[in-house]
Amino acid sequence: MNRKISLGMAVTIVILAMTVTFSITMLIAMRLFDSTVNSVKEKESMYNKIAEVDRYVRSNDYYTIDEATLYDRLTAGYLLGTGDKYARYYTANAYTELMNIQSGKILGIGVELGIDQTGYAKVTRVYDGSPAQEAGIAVGDYITTVGDTDVKSLSGADAVYRALQGEAGTTVTVTWLNSAAASKTAELTHSGYTSTTVDYQLLDNVGYIRIRQFDGTTPSELDFALRTLTANGAASLVFDLRDNGGGILEDAINCIDLIAPEGTVAYAEDKNGNRTVIGSSDAESSVSLPMVCLVNGNTASAAELFAATLRTMNGARLVGTTTMGKGTIQSSPQRLSDGSAVVITVAKLVCGDGSCFDSTGLTVDVERALSTEEATNFYDYTPQTDPQVQRAVSAAQQLSGTTTLAGASSAAAADSTAASAAADDTTPAEAAEGEPAEGETAASEPETAANAAE
């Protein structure tokens, strides 16, 4: 039986619906207004406080204020006050320099450096075709002076790199000590050269691959290294990620895609806990060889993701020491109206299995730290003599079944001898068996300084 609604009833329903809608809209609007007002009041309070300090300082301070410096420090202080330890402020000049370096307008001399116990910058690598190579600078030399500046007066390798940089065609005067301790000085002209991020070689039957950082060329370099090593009979792989501070996350994920089987590699998690897939590997390529990742306290960010993913998806073992624990994602530099720029943390980096290494780092399966003496000699080692590399090679051989228990015991004994300056936690039973128990501790000494690339 059909029932007709009277016109009056229909009008009443419409009015009720409009009233309810209006009430809800007003309620939401009032809450938004209250939130906005509170936000405005908070900002007004902040600006008033800054203005109050500014008035007092300008009226009483003995020193003359440099306005540009003041504004830069205010902005930097704001970022510091957010509690974001990875936030960064670039002055207009610093941001311009950053862009010039990335575009290749500003160049170095083609070396990698490490500051050792002498306080001078030891050359750990020289790129082919670089100004440094043309001047005769070689691995093992010490750069002592850049221009009129003593290297010991500079605060670390990054400061030395900055002193060595300049626009293409400009010159820099460099003084260095060669292997015979003879002092040499030359004027180097900044010019282009090819730099790489991946080194590789075959150590016995183990493919050793060192990844210094992740950038746009790393995936193709890694792909070539993998193909070359497997074609030459590598039965297992060691990825050396020590002192790899990360680099470009997207390129690290592309590298993982070359090795890992199909699956999710990483998520970005916002402050509300919402996760977005930012990387995955497909079934087109994967590596089935046993593998080891060699890490230390300077292994960070994208490099930690690389190691964590290979452990989860490929069964890789981690050798070395606990990693840095930088599991966050930063924005690209946001340019401001005056030419300066800011970088802030925008999300947490979460591994494909849902784990996160932020603040904790990755705990290794086989701990092999450097003793004090080994750390002192770190820049003199080659892959054939580096005790941490050799421990990783031994672990890789065990995984592939290409070494004997006697060989494993010898490796463990070598670890013990090299770390004799520190306590040895290996029990006789573990030493006889060859493979250290999970969590075994070798010499617990400070990490080496980051061997950053120029």
Side-chain angles (χ1 to χ4, degrees):
M1 178 177 177
N2 296 328
R3 294 184 177 178
K4 294 183 179 181
I5 301 175
S6 66
L7 179 61
M9 179 63 71
V11 171
T12 301
I13 293 174
V14 170
I15 293 174
L16 286 172
M18 291 175 62
T19 303
V20 171
T21 302
F22 178 78
S23 300
I24 294 174
T25 302
M26 286 298 296
L27 181 61
I28 294 174
M30 288 176 65
R31 289 182 176 177
L32 289 173
F33 177 78
D34 289 341
S35 176
T36 302
V37 168
N38 288 334
S39 178
V40 169
K41 287 181 177 179
E42 289 174 359
K43 290 179 180 178
E44 183 181 6
S45 176
M46 177 179 68
Y47 296 145
N48 285 342
K49 183 173 182 177
I50 294 174
E52 185 179 358
V53 172
D54 187 61
R55 285 193 299 270
Y56 174 76
V57 171
R58 291 182 187 277
S59 299
N60 298 282
D61 197 4
Y62 171 81
Y63 298 99
T64 301
I65 295 175
D66 183 310
E67 300 295 340
T69 301
L70 175 63
Y71 298 154
D72 283 335
R73 296 289 176 84
L74 279 171
T75 308
Y78 177 91
L79 292 177
L80 182 64
T82 65
D84 181 353
K85 61 182 178 180
Y86 299 116
R88 186 169 182 181
Y89 171 69
Y90 294 90
T91 65
N93 289 337
Y95 180 63
T96 299
E97 181 179 338
L98 176 67
M99 293 297 99
N100 287 338
I101 291 172
Q102 292 181 353
S103 66
K105 186 176 180 181
I106 290 183
L107 304 167
I109 63 169
V111 294
E112 288 183 8
L113 305 170
I115 307 297
D116 69 3
Q117 71 277 6
T118 67
Y120 288 121
K122 186 168 187 176
V123 178
T124 60
R125 189 179 188 190
V126 179
Y127 288 105
D128 291 339
S130 67
Q133 185 185 57
E134 293 175 359
I137 297 175
V139 172
D141 292 351
Y142 285 89
I143 294 178
T144 58
T145 308
V146 180
D148 296 325
T149 304
D150 189 307
V151 165
K152 285 186 176 181
S153 68
L154 299 174
S155 55
D158 286 343
V160 180
Y161 287 133
R162 286 193 294 271
L164 291 169
Q165 290 171 341
E167 292 190 14
T170 61
T171 61
V172 60
T173 302
V174 180
T175 299
W176 71 96
L177 296 175
N178 63 14
S179 57
S183 179
K184 293 183 174 292
T185 300
E187 190 174 66
L188 281 63
T189 301
H190 294 106
S191 60
Y193 57 89
T194 301
S195 61
T196 57
T197 60
V198 176
D199 297 327
Y200 65 93
Q201 59 181 286
L202 202 61
L203 300 177
D204 294 328
N205 58 349
V206 177
Y208 169 78
I209 301 174
R210 181 170 186 180
I211 306 176
R212 299 172 184 275
Q213 65 178 25
F214 293 96
D215 66 21
T217 66
T218 311
S220 60
E221 291 176 31
L222 178 59
D223 183 46
F224 185 80
L226 290 168
R227 293 176 186 275
T228 302
L229 291 171
T230 53
N232 283 279
S236 57
L237 298 170
V238 169
F239 296 98
D240 189 347
L241 302 167
R242 292 174 301 172
D243 300 333
N244 183 328
I248 302 174
L249 181 59
E250 180 182 0
D251 293 316
I253 292 173
N254 290 336
C255 288
I256 293 170
D257 185 30
L258 295 171
I259 303 167
E262 185 175 5
T264 300
V265 170
Y267 300 93
E269 181 179 288
D270 66 21
K271 60 184 178 182
N272 297 316
N274 301 313
R275 292 182 178 179
T276 303
V277 175
I278 56 172
S280 58
S281 57
D282 55 37
E284 291 185 9
S285 65
S286 63
V287 176
S288 58
L289 295 176
M291 58 189 68
V292 168
C293 291
L294 179 57
V295 297
N296 67 5
N298 294 320
T299 304
S301 193
E304 290 178 282
L305 177 67
F306 183 93
T309 303
L310 264 54
R311 174 155 66 178
T312 301
M313 300 180 72
N314 293 75
R317 300 199 76 186
L318 269 58
V319 174
T321 57
T322 302
T323 60
M324 182 179 290
K326 181 184 180 297
T328 55
I329 302 171
Q330 281 66 48
S331 66
S332 298
Q334 175 65 44
R335 187 178 184 276
L336 305 179
S337 58
D338 66 347
S340 60
V342 296
V343 171
I344 62 171
T345 299
V346 293
K348 179 183 287 188
L349 180 60
V350 178
C351 299
D353 65 350
S355 63
C356 182
F357 48 79
D358 188 46
S359 300
T360 61
L362 300 172
T363 302
V364 296
D365 302 299
V366 179
E367 185 157 343
R368 178 57 169 96
L370 293 173
S371 68
T372 302
E373 181 180 357
E374 289 169 342
T376 299
N377 298 325
F378 180 77
Y379 295 118
D380 295 324
Y381 289 132
T382 65
Q384 289 80 4
T385 60
D386 188 317
Q388 289 182 312
V389 172
Q390 291 306 304
R391 187 64 192 90
V393 166
S394 174
Q397 289 176 327
Q398 289 176 345
L399 289 174
S400 64
T402 57
T403 189
T404 63
L405 286 177
S409 296
S410 298
D415 285 354
S416 178
T417 301
S420 59
D424 184 357
D425 294 337
T426 307
T427 65
E430 288 168 347
E433 190 173 356
E435 183 65 23
E438 185 168 328
E440 172 192 338
T441 303
S444 179
E445 297 292 344
E447 297 293 345
T448 60
N451 190 17
E454 178 176 303

